[in-house]
């Protein structure tokens, strides 16, 4: 995870978090508190940290020295995101968990409880990858359908029924070359996908939050580096 000039990394074998401030030349361990089987983590500030294990959500208020279980009901986390506090969610802490094979979970009560917002779950056909725009809209890949989006609900109610497809996959089979990224300043969406002939191409939305996509340059360059959401 990036925070200014700092880059944080989770080392899962020894269950430790490290930080570098010199582009990875050297790393320093931070937070000495015990982490139990970490799957995903998110660093909000110098003192406010979060991580998930297989089923639970933990919070640290002192930079990882001490951890408290503050939520449950999640599975197999891969990446943890916190939505920007804008519009309808300006007064709540909304977290999004990208998982391996278990779908995408959202919590609108600071991680206490979680709700599944994807209607299909599986390791092969659905293997979701998440990107968040500057307005808090959640974009994700669905290998069998394309690029999908859950908009920020005006009533802070998150539900799979609100998810729509913004880009239909072009190949007749499962598209394993499907990726999504978002520029949080312009809110433009960038995708990598396979066309009907199996050629891997890149496209961008014409404007922020748009469902209209055009070729990115000549259609073959890589996605921008901000594709992690």
């Amino acid at each position: 995870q990036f925070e200014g000039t700092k880059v944080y990394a989770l080392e899962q074998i020894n269950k430790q978090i490290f930080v570098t401030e010199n582009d990875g030349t050297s790393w320093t361990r931070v937070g000495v508190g015990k982490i139990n089987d970490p799957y995903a983590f998110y660093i909000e500030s110098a003192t406010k940290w979060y991580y998930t294990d297989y089923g639970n959500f933990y919070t640290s208020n002192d930079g990882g020295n001490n951890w408290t279980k503050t939520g449950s009901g999640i599975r197999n986390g891969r990446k943890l995101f916190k939505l920007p506090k804008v519009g309808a969610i300006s007064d709540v802490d909304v977290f999004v968990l990208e998982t391996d094979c278990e779908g995408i979970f959202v919590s609108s009560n600071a991680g206490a409880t979680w709700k599944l917002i994807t209607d299909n779950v599986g390791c092969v056909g659905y293997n979701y990858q998440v990107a968040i725009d500057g307005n808090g809209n959640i974009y994700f890949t669905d290998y069998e359908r394309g690029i999908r989006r859950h908009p920020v609900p005006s009533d802070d109610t998150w539900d799979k029924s609100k998810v729509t497809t913004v880009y239909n996959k072009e190949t007749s089979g499962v598209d394993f070359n499907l990726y999504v990224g978002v520029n949080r300043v312009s809110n433009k969406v960038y995708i990598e996908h396979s066309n009907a002939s199996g050629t891997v191409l890149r496209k961008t939305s014409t404007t922020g939050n748009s469902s209209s996509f055009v070729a990115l340059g000549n259609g073959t360059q890589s996605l921008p580096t901000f594709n992690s959401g």
Side-chain angles (χ1 to χ4, degrees), residues 8 69 133:
Y8 292 88
K69 177 183 171 182
D133 74 10

Side-chain angles (χ1 to χ4, degrees), residues 188-192 201-205 213-224:
K188 282 189 174 183
V189 180
Y190 296 83
I191 65 172
E192 180 175 287
L201 299 173
R202 285 88 184 183
K203 293 183 179 180
T204 179
S205 60
F213 289 81
V214 296
L216 181 61
N218 62 11
T220 59
Q221 61 257 54
S222 300
L223 284 175

